[in-house]
Amino acid sequence: MFVIAAAQLMVILDGTITNIALPSIQTDLDVSDANLAWIVNSYALAFGGLLLLGGRAGDLFGRRRMFQLGIAVFTLASLLGGLAVNEGLLIGARILQGVGAAVAAPSALSLIATTFPEGKPRNKAMGIYAAMAGIGATAGLLLGGILTDVLDWRWVFFVNVPIGLAVLAGTKTLVEAERHRGRLDIPGTVTGSGGLIALVYGITRGGEHGWTDGGTLASFAASVVLLAVFLFIQGRTAHPMMPLRLFRDRNRSGSYATMLFIGAGMMATFYFLTLYMQLILGYSPVKTGFAYLPFSIGMGIAATASSKLLTRLAPRLIAGPGLLVAAVGMFWFATLTPDSSYTAHLMPAMFVTAVGLGASFVPMTLSAVSGVEHQDTGIASALLNTAHQIGGALGLAVLSTASTSAANDRLPEAAASFYRGLAVKDFGLVANAGEALTHGYGVAFATAGALFLFGLTVTAIAVTAGKQQPSEGPAVIHMG
């Protein structure tokens, strides 16, 4: 459990550790505003786009073996990221990190599902795994702040090297799960991953160049065609990358859909709050990292409590209220102003949001891998991670567009005006641009709150399983 949790912590940590170093990276490598989001998005997109392949590979070739391969690739990519001399090489390293994470993450979750007996042992293991999602995200921000301030932004990548090597050494304690017959679905990998990449690129390009831009429309068209072909292939091949039978279970499909909305809304919390604290409030990277501690605490408390409640309450009776609380927190963030107080505004809103998300993660994770045959646990785990990561990538693309548009409505080229004002010490321009940017961030937070409410609706309608019934052995969970 320690090895799996450490790997999950490292993979999730890297989704946010870079966020806090973005201003430093932008200055040092002269990254354009348009490409700044891609330093975050490229990782999430590669991670989400290849998770299905990673999950199926674990089922076919051995989960411990794929877990080791993924951690090795991730560690090497982290070293390359720290050595990057321009934005192109850094984005390339982030993509390679995403590839490694996509191979390692589903094997980690499926090893829990096939190793720990259902009931309290698996609930506890899933609680730890889910807590790592919140703790890893906020630990990334804290660690990123300290490393960026004390050393250099490059250390947000170098720090993964010793952790990755330690995890690799620890994999000797893992027991290899049984392998299953079949082969990799290469056409499905190409069309599915290509369709998701085209979709996110189209959304991001639309925000930068307009929704009627030729490249934007071409990306959306390519996405529709590729994803349609992907579904066609999955319904007819003997060895599909994503067996459509997994979606016949209403609870599982509902969990995947809910996790998509959680991922989309959660991205706003870290990305826009980090920009707000550093640009508008003038926090240093390390101060920003420490400012996120209430989020880590709230997530850890709620994930632990929800894993214990699952034997008494149905999943939707835990996840539903959790999503409502998370939405309240996001709407609270939407009321931020350029001079909002940390103790009276940011800190309580952060804690409320974290408690809501922490209460939602464990029920959705358990529902997604419950009732799955052993030969499909890898791909079922991968689908859950895919929903979360692709939700995050799509959410960042959509919310960045909404935020930029809202800010520019208040002040044309608000971000550029802000930096120009700082450069020439025009503090009146800085104040006006800061107000416009804060308004844009508020729109993004409100949109994220609406996404959580959509997730709540899906949970209420689709996730109808009852409370868990303890049983003997390490069989799959029986949900109500």
Side-chain angles (χ1 to χ4, degrees):
M1 189 66 239
F2 180 81
V3 173
I4 293 171
Q8 170 71 352
L9 182 68
M10 184 174 70
V11 168
I12 295 298
L13 180 147
D14 220 70
T16 57
I17 194 172
T18 312
N19 274 5
I20 209 153
L22 285 178
S24 300
I25 292 172
Q26 184 174 32
T27 302
D28 194 27
L29 299 184
D30 193 26
V31 182
S32 66
D33 286 335
N35 287 338
L36 192 62
W38 278 104
I39 293 175
V40 176
N41 227 357
S42 57
Y43 174 78
L45 190 57
F47 189 2
L50 296 174
L51 269 165
L52 297 183
L53 176 63
R56 181 49 80 196
D59 289 338
L60 297 178
F61 305 128
R63 290 170 191 134
R64 187 177 72 167
R65 177 183 294 180
M66 288 298 102
F67 182 71
Q68 291 169 328
L69 175 63
I71 294 298
V73 171
F74 185 91
T75 304
L76 175 62
S78 297
L79 178 63
L80 296 176
L83 297 173
V85 295
N86 57 51
E87 66 182 63
L89 291 175
L90 180 56
I91 291 174
R94 292 287 285 165
I95 291 171
L96 190 59
Q97 279 187 313
V99 173
V103 175
S107 293
L109 182 54
S110 59
L111 281 168
I112 290 177
T114 56
T115 301
F116 291 87
E118 60 183 298
K120 285 187 177 181
R122 193 183 298 181
N123 288 0
K124 186 176 182 180
M126 287 293 188
I128 294 171
Y129 182 87
M132 288 303 104
I135 293 171
T138 49
L141 294 164
L142 176 58
L143 188 59
I146 294 172
L147 292 173
T148 302
D149 257 8
V150 176
L151 297 171
D152 183 76
W153 66 262
R154 296 180 183 278
W155 282 92
V156 304
F157 297 102
F158 289 147
V159 71
N160 289 324
V161 177
I163 299 174
L165 293 175
V167 170
L168 278 174
T171 56
K172 294 178 181 179
T173 64
L174 300 176
V175 177
E176 181 65 270
E178 61 180 306
R179 301 181 196 178
H180 302 279
R181 299 180 63 183
R183 59 180 175 79
L184 285 180
D185 174 19
I186 301 301
T189 300
V190 172
T191 53
S193 301
L196 291 170
I197 290 169
L199 176 61
V200 176
Y201 179 76
I203 293 172
T204 304
R205 185 180 177 88
E208 296 169 4
H209 301 283
W211 301 104
T212 57
D213 169 72
T216 302
L217 296 175
S219 296
F220 284 135
S223 174
V224 170
V225 171
L226 287 170
L227 291 176
V229 172
F230 171 70
L231 291 175
F232 178 83
I233 292 172
Q234 299 311 288
R236 285 159 179 78
T237 184
H239 303 284
M241 182 173 72
M242 185 182 76
L244 298 182
R245 63 178 177 272
L246 290 173
F247 295 96
R248 292 174 189 159
D249 185 292
R250 176 177 177 176
N251 293 290
R252 192 174 305 120
S253 297
S255 297
Y256 292 148
T258 301
M259 192 59 76
L260 187 77
F261 287 115
I262 290 174
M266 191 172 177
M267 184 62 74
T269 309
F270 299 119
Y271 186 76
F272 294 105
L273 263 186
T274 298
L275 291 176
Y276 172 78
M277 286 191 282
Q278 290 199 24
L279 297 182
I280 308 303
L281 298 184
Y283 285 13
S284 66
V286 69
K287 186 175 181 180
T288 306
F290 277 105
Y292 273 109
L293 281 176
F295 196 97
S296 184
I297 294 168
M299 179 72 81
I301 290 172
T304 302
S306 61
S307 67
K308 294 178 179 178
L309 287 172
L310 276 166
T311 54
R312 301 179 182 179
L313 297 172
R316 67 175 174 177
L317 296 180
I318 303 170
L323 286 167
L324 180 60
V325 169
V328 169
M330 296 310 291
F331 291 130
W332 198 343
F333 280 132
T335 64
L336 286 170
T337 65
D339 56 356
S340 290
S341 162
Y342 175 76
T343 53
H345 200 154
L346 275 173
M347 184 171 68
M350 207 178 288
F351 185 78
V352 166
T353 304
V355 168
L357 290 173
S360 307
F361 264 107
V362 180
M364 292 302 99
T365 302
L366 283 165
S367 296
V369 297
S370 67
V372 179
E373 297 297 328
H374 275 220
Q375 69 267 22
D376 289 333
T377 53
I379 195 64
S381 303
L383 277 167
L384 182 74
N385 276 304
T386 298
H388 187 246
Q389 291 301 321
I390 292 299
L394 290 172
L396 181 56
V398 171
L399 295 172
S400 292
T401 300
S403 176
T404 301
S405 298
N408 290 344
D409 284 345
R410 288 284 180 95
L411 179 69
E413 300 296 325
S417 297
F418 183 85
Y419 288 112
R420 187 170 63 252
L422 288 176
V424 301
K425 293 183 168 33
D426 183 346
F427 298 112
L429 179 59
V430 170
N432 290 335
E435 187 176 345
L437 288 173
T438 303
H439 171 68
Y441 302 152
V443 169
F445 291 132
T447 306
L451 291 173
F452 288 150
L453 292 180
F454 279 123
L456 167 59
T457 303
V458 172
T459 300
I461 294 172
V463 183
T464 58
K467 65 181 181 180
Q468 291 182 49
Q469 301 298 327
S471 63
E472 301 295 327
V476 292
I477 299 174
H478 171 71
M479 300 292 283

